[in-house]
Structure formats: C-alpha cells, structure tokens
Amino acid sequence: MRRFRPWAVASATLLLAFVPSQGEEAVVSQSPVIAEIRTLFGLQDAAANGNAEAVDLQRQFLSQINQQQQEDLVGLRPDAYTAAMIAGYVLSGGQPELAEALASDEKLDHLSKSLLEGAALYMRGDREKAGEQLKVIEPTRLPLQIGGRVALARAMLSTADHVERERLLALAIALMPGTLVEESALRRSASTQAELGNAELFWNRTERYLRRFPGSLYAPEFMAQAVGRVADFEAAGKPGGTKRLEAVLMRLPPAQRRTLYLKLARAAASRNLPPLTQFAARQLRGLSTGGSTEMMQADLYDSLHDVTGSGYGETVMRLEKIDATMLEEGDRALLRAALAIAGQIRAPGMTAGSTADEAAMNAAQPPEILALVDRAKTAISSADRLLQRVSQ
C-alpha cells in the first residue's frame, strides 16, 4: 500500500494553485505514480517561481517515488503517454530503473522504448548512448510537460554543436513557458552565448530571464555569474555592457544589487580593468549608506587604481580613512597592499594632501622613481591572486 503524507499532499496542492498552467488537458491515469509525477513537475515549477517551500516538498515526492518503484510498476499502462511521463520523471532527477523496467514491456512502441532508454542512459551519465536514443525523439510530438524536458536534455548533450544546442534550448523555452524548464533553458542559453562571446544575445537572454523569473530560487547564483561575464567581455575588448547591466540590475532589490556590484568590482579589479572597477565601485557607493561596510568597500575599489595616478594625494587620504576592521579578510589585505605601495612611491617632500602640482612632479621624477612607480603598478596588478580569492 502506498504511504502518502496528508500534510505534504495538502501543502503541494496549495502550492500548485500558484503554478502557471501549461494549457495541457489533464490525462486521467489509474496509476498513482503518474499523479505524483505531475505533482512533482508542479512543485519544480513553483520553485522556479520563487517558492522555497516547494523545494523541500519536491524532494519528498521524488524520494517517495524512488523508494516505491516496484509498487509503481503495478498498474502502469504500457502506452506512449505513460512512457513519456516516466521519462520526464527520470529526466527530473528520478531513478532510471523505473524507465528501464517499463522499456522492457513488449507492448510499447519503438519510439517510447527509445525515449525511456534515452532518459535512463542520460541519468546514468552515458552521454553518447543517451544522445543516440534521444535524437530520434521529436519533442513537439510529446506531451507539453515532457517535450520541453527532452529538448533541454538533448541540448545538454549537444555541447559540441552550438547551433543545435541553441535551437533545442529555444524549443524548450517555447514548449514550457513559466516552468523550471524555461528557467533552466534561459540560464543555459545565456551562459552559452557568453562563452561564444555573443554579448548582445547574452544580454537578451539575461534580460528575459529577469523579466520572467525575478524571484527564482536560482536567480542569485545566475546573476552572480552574469556580472562576471561583464568583466569577461570587457577583458576581451567588448566594452559597453555597463549600461545593459545597470538596466538589468534595476529590477533587483538594493541589497542584491549591492552584492552584485561588489562582485563586479572584485572581478574587474582582478582583471586589471580600472574603468569597470570604478563603475562598479561607484554604483555600490550610490546604494550604500555613509559609514557602512559597503561604503568602505566602494571607497577601496574606487581608489585602488588611482594609487599611482595624478590624484595620488587624495587617493591616499581616502584609503587612510577606510576602517579596515569593517572589511572582509581579502579586502583588508588589499587595503594594506595599496597603502604599502602608496608609501613606496611617495616622492620626497610630497604629502598626502598635495594635489595641485602632482602631475608635473610625477613627470619630473628621476628614472629610479619612475621605475618604482612601474613596480607599484605591477604590484597592484599582482593583487590578482588576492582578488581572485575574494571574488569567488
């Protein structure tokens, strides 16, 4: 006898009331496992739309199905719809044994067998054989809740063929709007475009992602990766992403924007990209309150690349006002390094407050002082190891 947890079922039913409809007619099945799989799909979609409780509930439903596979086989009808639902369950994190057992039924058609075997092989990590089985499956001919999952799985298997990968991701997005499949496909598509250096397509996918899934439980990690892409584009000689980033981040609450601008400042500084570092630092400053840790961090990264510049004096004064005790370990080390370098290159008779004639004084320095300045610039760049650590 199947053991249901009434409170879990009730909670799941309540959550599913807020899940976008797929527009698919309900299919009545005599097997309880099919009903549980449909509930599992709904819970995954609720998580994509920001419901944290759905994450725990989906784990429970998945575990329940996984633990009762022998009983689940009883009453399963060997038809195309049942096979598709079982394949969808496996592609959603389920155990492959159930798909393999159903695939052995002689009453199943050839395509259903390929779908079940492909899903099982995919979950077992046999990418080559999984690809062979799934490539004969046309996602648009499957139930809507399954077609997008198959398209997404095939896209993940098409790592070498970027054109085919993007076609399948776009298909997954179109087949299952508002679901975890669309959310996942958008994230993967954006990452693929970034890896290919297609900044415009990357931003289009990123903007759509935040329009569609601003509350997704996976959005913070995705956006943290996205700001790192901005530094990658800048380092590759493709600047101009700051305006797009600013427009995208305006959709997020101030606390999350502060976190992301700080991450960008660290990533840009680690790549020795002064304009991008200062952009991120100044955006961070605009979102911070006076005397806060975030304001100290903004001052640090805004000043970092000016230590050896014409505004040396004012820069050192800003750095000396930063309360190191309010910074994280990596930022404290970076502040110490910046101040130490500033101390090395300070010319005789030059005070931290002198600014009017600094450019002329720097131009008139003897070769040994200029060499010291060059070493200081190199030292700033070599802080990359520190920044790499704190920007992870």
Side-chain angles (χ1 to χ4, degrees):
M1 179 179 296
R2 299 185 67 82
R3 297 180 180 177
F4 291 92
R5 295 180 176 83
W7 64 269
V9 175
S11 298
T13 303
L14 180 61
L15 286 172
L16 295 182
F18 299 96
V19 177
S21 172
Q22 289 295 293
E24 181 180 10
E25 294 183 2
V27 179
V28 178
S29 173
Q30 296 178 350
S31 173
V33 69
I34 299 301
E36 288 186 17
I37 290 172
R38 292 174 67 88
T39 301
L40 172 67
F41 291 165
L43 290 171
Q44 291 177 334
D45 297 341
N49 285 278
N51 198 310
E53 185 181 358
V55 175
D56 290 333
L57 282 172
Q58 71 170 312
R59 291 196 189 103
Q60 293 177 33
F61 271 83
L62 191 59
S63 175
Q64 180 169 301
I65 300 170
N66 290 345
Q67 291 173 6
Q68 299 180 170
Q69 290 189 59
Q70 292 302 316
E71 185 177 342
D72 289 337
L73 284 171
V74 178
L76 280 181
R77 292 160 31 179
D79 55 31
Y81 176 78
T82 301
M85 291 296 288
I86 296 300
Y89 144 75
V90 173
L91 293 174
S92 298
Q95 297 292 338
E97 288 84 359
L98 187 56
E100 292 165 340
L102 185 59
S104 66
D105 195 309
E106 296 180 354
K107 296 178 183 178
L108 271 181
D109 62 271
H110 175 70
L111 288 179
S112 293
K113 287 179 181 289
S114 293
L115 175 59
L116 288 166
E117 291 170 356
L121 288 165
Y122 180 86
M123 287 306 297
R124 291 194 182 281
D126 193 335
R127 299 176 61 86
E128 184 176 353
K129 291 183 179 179
E132 291 175 359
Q133 294 286 356
L134 293 178
K135 70 180 180 181
V136 302
I137 306 299
E138 174 50 54
T140 58
R141 295 176 179 265
L142 297 171
L144 290 179
Q145 284 187 310
I146 312 303
R149 286 178 165 82
V150 172
L152 182 60
R154 285 183 56 188
M156 300 310 296
L157 294 170
S158 302
T159 53
D161 188 343
H162 297 298
V163 174
E164 177 66 0
R165 178 184 173 93
E166 276 301 295
R167 184 189 74 81
L168 289 165
L169 288 173
L171 183 58
I173 291 167
L175 287 175
M176 297 184 64
T179 68
L180 179 63
V181 169
E182 182 195 9
E183 192 268 357
S184 180
L186 281 171
R187 282 189 283 117
R188 286 169 168 78
S189 180
S191 295
T192 297
Q193 296 303 332
E195 290 165 5
L196 294 174
N198 298 330
E200 184 64 25
L201 291 176
F202 163 77
W203 284 115
N204 289 343
R205 287 306 197 201
T206 300
E207 288 170 352
R208 173 165 176 165
Y209 179 88
L210 276 186
R211 284 198 308 270
R212 301 283 289 159
F213 301 98
S216 170
L217 301 181
Y218 310 103
E221 181 181 357
F222 170 71
M223 289 309 302
Q225 294 172 349
V227 297
R229 301 295 190 184
V230 179
D232 293 339
F233 286 135
E234 192 87 11
K238 297 180 179 180
T242 53
K243 290 184 179 179
R244 298 290 293 271
L245 177 66
E246 193 173 0
V248 166
L249 296 192
M250 284 297 292
R251 299 175 179 274
L252 302 177
Q256 192 173 351
R257 288 158 64 193
R258 284 195 295 270
T259 298
L260 292 172
Y261 278 125
L262 175 60
K263 185 173 183 64
L264 177 59
R266 287 170 170 167
S270 73
R271 290 165 172 79
N272 197 25
L273 301 170
L276 186 59
T277 305
Q278 291 183 325
F279 163 80
R282 289 166 188 177
Q283 294 295 114
L284 175 60
R285 179 183 290 118
L287 294 166
S288 304
T289 57
S292 64
T293 295
E294 292 84 1
M295 185 66 78
M296 302 288 178
Q297 291 168 323
D299 287 342
L300 171 62
Y301 285 95
D302 191 20
S303 305
L304 189 62
H305 292 284
D306 286 338
V307 169
T308 59
S310 60
Y312 166 88
E314 291 182 355
T315 299
V316 173
M317 290 180 66
R318 287 200 306 270
L319 289 172
E320 289 176 341
K321 289 180 180 179
I322 295 175
D323 185 351
T325 63
M326 298 179 67
L327 300 177
E328 298 174 21
E329 179 183 355
D331 287 342
R332 285 200 303 271
L334 192 60
L335 175 61
R336 288 195 299 269
L339 288 172
I341 291 166
Q344 289 179 9
I345 66 172
R346 181 174 297 175
M350 187 176 181
T351 65
S354 61
T355 60
D357 297 319
E358 284 183 16
M361 289 176 65
N362 287 339
Q365 295 302 327
E368 60 270 19
I369 295 297
L370 294 178
L372 194 56
V373 170
D374 287 338
R375 290 211 310 273
K377 290 179 179 178
T378 301
I380 285 288
S381 297
S382 70
D384 179 50
R385 288 193 297 273
L386 275 174
L387 288 164
Q388 291 286 1
R389 190 175 68 213
V390 300
S391 61
Q392 295 300 318

